[in-house]
Amino acid sequence: MPRPSRELTPELSARHLFGAKLRGYREDRSLTLEALAGKLTISKSHLARVETAEYMPPPELPAQLDELFEAGGIFTELYALCKKEAHPDKFRRRMELEAQALIIREYTPQIVPGLLQTEDYARAQFRTHNPKASEDEIEELWTLRLSRQALLLGEPRPDYSVILDEAVLRRPYGGPHVMGEQLAALADLALTPTSFVQVLPFSHGGHALAGGSLSLWTLDSGQQVAYEESISSGTLLEEKAEVLAKVRAYDLLSASALSPIKSADLIRSVMEALPDEHHP
């Protein structure tokens, strides 16, 4: 005998309403979770957790549901609200501005920026940051990270550039295989029509942005916004003078960093020097 469906609470949040709408459309068409999962790019267990609001909907699901159920875009609209709810208030403005940016420039001193992380690298980083996190919590973090990464695949696609401190390449997460895949992904993005990657070598020494990461966004209006982030806090800068000071520091750092081609060469050399996991 099948287990009774868990009672839903659509009034609690956009995520709960998304799950309730999903169940409503599914049951109206007499589809089981297994049958619906077979029509989508998602497993039955994952779909069940989305329906009960335990998991954030993955980025590709809303459009698939809208098309399958001819729902008129309701799942896409709800997903946009879900994404806003998923981030703490202090980061919500940051996420909104990042999503609006036509040009994104970043500097990061220790880890690969979230927009460029591979899945295994991201999961290893989440686990390192919080060793007590459950598998569900890690899954939730990855889904949120994936929704951010969709920015670089959207239309119009933003122009993206990043300066990586050499420490980013040499501080492995997840072991040699995971790190190798991450480095390969970075090398592939080093110089494309919409992205370039630069590495700041250790030999450069100190600089004005040491101590934290920086994101610079140029919006459709032409306004520039900066966001500085440390281990546990972030500061949004919108005053013109403050932003221009950060832009200047970033430009100086970019001028001192390796070119994208030389950066890709360094990334590949670090990748090739990784130890073989099968041979101690």
Side-chain angles (χ1 to χ4, degrees):
M1 182 176 177
R3 288 166 43 184
S5 296
R6 175 175 160 181
E7 184 177 351
L8 303 183
T9 50
E11 71 281 359
L12 288 183
S13 69
R15 188 194 304 195
H16 285 78
L17 182 56
F18 187 104
K21 290 290 185 184
L22 170 56
R23 178 178 291 179
Y25 274 91
R26 176 177 66 78
E27 292 182 343
D28 283 348
R29 286 157 179 75
S30 301
L31 290 170
T32 63
L33 281 166
E34 185 173 11
L36 179 56
K39 300 176 183 291
L40 304 167
T41 56
I42 186 172
S43 69
K44 172 189 171 184
S45 60
H46 196 163
L47 190 63
R49 286 180 168 86
V50 171
E51 194 170 277
T52 55
E54 295 172 66
Y55 278 8
M56 176 79 174
E60 70 279 4
L61 182 62
Q64 292 178 359
L65 292 174
D66 280 330
E67 180 178 2
L68 179 65
F69 292 137
E70 298 179 342
I74 188 171
F75 288 102
T76 299
E77 292 171 1
L78 282 173
Y79 178 66
L81 293 176
C82 290
K83 285 199 296 182
K84 288 185 177 182
E85 286 184 347
H87 298 283
D89 288 341
K90 64 179 180 179
F91 293 121
R92 197 165 297 162
R93 173 72 172 157
R94 179 210 189 283
M95 307 307 297
E96 290 172 352
L97 289 170
E98 183 181 66
Q100 297 170 24
L102 298 182
I103 302 173
I104 299 173
R105 294 184 288 172
E106 296 192 298
Y107 162 71
T108 181
Q110 296 291 342
I111 61 173
V112 174
L115 290 175
L116 302 185
Q117 290 178 1
T118 62
E119 179 174 355
D120 288 340
Y121 179 98
R123 290 177 181 274
Q125 187 233 318
F126 297 149
R127 180 67 64 194
T128 301
H129 179 71
N130 183 7
K132 295 181 179 180
S134 68
E135 289 304 316
D136 282 354
E137 288 171 330
I138 297 294
E139 184 68 30
E140 177 83 352
L141 289 169
W142 168 242
T143 300
L144 293 174
R145 180 62 45 84
L146 197 59
S147 72
R148 281 186 63 208
Q149 292 184 354
L151 292 174
L152 298 185
L153 303 175
E155 293 297 339
R157 188 170 298 188
D159 289 324
Y160 179 85
S161 60
V162 64
I163 303 170
L164 305 174
D165 193 282
E166 188 175 343
V168 174
L169 312 182
R170 300 192 182 278
R171 190 178 305 284
Y173 282 86
H177 178 71
V178 171
M179 195 65 193
E181 288 186 338
Q182 177 65 78
L183 291 173
L186 290 174
D188 288 343
L189 291 170
L191 190 58
T192 77
T194 57
S195 70
F196 68 85
V197 176
Q198 292 182 274
V199 176
L200 185 72
F202 288 140
S203 59
H204 175 70
H207 57 85
L209 297 180
S213 63
L214 175 71
S215 296
L216 297 168
W217 306 307
T218 302
L219 309 182
D220 186 40
S221 63
Q223 179 188 3
Q224 291 185 306
V225 182
Y227 185 80
E228 289 185 306
E229 191 168 12
S230 61
I231 293 176
S232 59
S233 65
T235 303
L236 186 65
L237 305 175
E238 298 185 73
E239 290 294 328
K240 187 174 181 179
E242 292 181 316
V243 175
L244 287 178
K246 298 303 177 184
V247 170
R248 175 66 173 165
Y250 183 94
D251 288 344
L252 288 172
L253 207 59
S254 178
S256 303
L258 300 177
S259 70
I261 292 175
K262 289 184 177 180
S263 294
D265 290 342
L266 177 57
I267 291 169
R268 292 191 180 98
S269 71
V270 174
M271 181 173 60
E272 290 166 3
L274 288 170
D276 188 334
E277 288 183 303
H278 302 292
H279 296 87

